[in-house]
Amino acid sequence: MEPFDQAAMLLPPGLRRGAQALPALVRRRVEEIRLRGGRPPAVVVGSDELPLPGCGEVTTRDLALTVEIATGASAHTALERVRQGYFTVRGGHRLGLCGTVTAEEGQVKNLRQLSSLNLRVARAVPGCGEQVLSELMEGGRLPNTLLLAPPGQGKTTLLRDLVRLISNGSAGPPLRVGLADERGEVAALWEGLPQFDVGERTDVLEGCPKAQGLMMLLRGMNPQVLSCDEITLPADCAALERCGNCGVKLLATVHADGVDDLTCKPLYRSLLERGLFSQAVTIDRRRLGSYYRVEALPC
């Protein structure tokens, strides 16, 4: 079953029929299905939102029923897990929720009276990292590498495939990979099983802040490579530096529009000054031909 069709099965019958009525070309490109109470349902294709054919306004019943279907009628249990605003369902699809927050001692405890849902369609692209890894491994060893791109350019997709390839030994000896998957987007664990193929020798720690997750993996799983998605905090940088000093190879992603943009960001300056990462893969789908380039990072 195609990813969009699998995601559409999580919708109530009326909305599901609208989703299935979309042209096949559109279905293959849908990134998200958006349900907003009191508004027509829509799908996100690139920068556009397109209405679902033959559907009226989304009701509160539609929102509740979608969560019931997605969680296997365990909505109450799932809602208690959405402190980050989403949860992963079978197939790796991600359901984001908005509504009225129940808080206790300043911490989000639950969501009630749902107002909108965002069903993000999960798609993997096996093989997209093969040429990239081949270039990175020209010296026979994996260098500490950053994947750079603005949002929505495919950093997570490329990271996932590189982890799979490294773990399976596709460009050298197979290596144990520890994956700190804080947001659950790389492996997408569902009932303990990765919904995406991240390789035979990959250990996944999901939902834990990256800085803590990296150290837990380092201490507990004896990885040869540590990987994480989206370095955003000084604590992330400090944890990566500690892990790198222990001899573990590093693979991570950063929001940056190339190496020049990276060097201008104070957060990453210490990583560059200490030479922790030696290579960068810049992803740019606006370029003609190859959509990436591999280059050395300045020290």
Side-chain angles (χ1 to χ4, degrees), residues 45-279:
V45 180
S47 60
D48 299 324
E49 285 199 18
L50 308 176
L52 289 185
C55 294
E57 294 180 351
V58 173
T59 66
T60 55
R61 175 59 180 161
D62 291 328
L63 298 174
L65 187 54
T66 300
V67 175
E68 289 286 339
I69 296 171
T71 60
S74 300
H76 177 72
T77 301
L79 290 175
E80 292 177 346
R81 301 199 308 264
V82 296
R83 291 187 177 92
Q84 295 184 346
Y86 63 87
F87 59 89
T88 302
V89 299
R90 184 193 291 270
H93 311 292
R94 200 173 81 173
L95 191 63
L97 307 95
C98 279
T100 302
V101 169
T102 300
E104 183 178 312
E105 297 180 354
Q107 299 294 320
V108 175
K109 291 295 182 182
N110 208 333
L111 273 173
R112 57 186 178 84
Q113 295 177 340
L114 294 173
S115 60
S116 59
L117 300 176
N118 175 22
L119 182 55
R120 187 168 182 176
V121 180
R123 287 189 173 88
V125 187
C128 68
E130 290 180 355
Q131 184 59 38
V132 175
L133 186 60
S134 176
E135 291 189 34
L136 288 173
M137 295 283 287
E138 282 185 353
R141 299 182 64 186
L142 178 70
N144 291 351
T145 303
L146 290 174
L147 309 182
L148 313 177
Q153 293 293 304
K155 294 187 301 300
T156 301
T157 300
L158 180 58
L159 176 69
R160 181 188 301 121
D161 201 49
L162 288 174
V163 167
R164 178 185 68 87
L165 293 167
I166 293 166
S167 177
N168 289 344
S170 297
L175 301 176
R176 295 185 303 276
V177 181
L179 174 61
D181 194 9
E182 179 177 358
R183 300 178 304 158
E185 290 192 330
V186 185
L189 294 183
W190 185 78
E191 296 188 352
L193 298 178
Q195 299 299 287
F196 294 118
D197 184 1
V198 288
E200 297 179 0
R201 297 164 184 84
T202 299
D203 301 301
V204 183
L205 188 62
E206 184 179 292
C208 181
K210 283 182 284 291
Q212 298 176 36
L214 289 167
M215 298 310 301
M216 290 171 66
L217 287 164
L218 178 67
R219 290 190 294 260
M221 302 310 295
N222 188 26
Q224 295 164 294
V225 180
L226 277 171
S227 180
C228 67
D229 199 14
E230 295 192 9
I231 304 171
T232 55
L233 298 172
D236 301 340
C237 297
L240 286 166
E241 187 170 348
R242 289 180 65 185
C243 294
N245 289 337
C246 293
V248 180
K249 294 300 181 182
L250 304 173
L251 179 65
T253 72
V254 169
H255 284 315
D257 196 3
V259 172
D260 290 343
D261 186 35
L262 179 73
T263 59
C264 294
K265 296 178 182 289
L267 177 63
Y268 310 116
R269 196 163 293 152
S270 64
L271 298 181
L272 298 177
E273 289 174 350
R274 290 173 171 79
L276 184 61
F277 288 90
S278 62
Q279 295 290 313

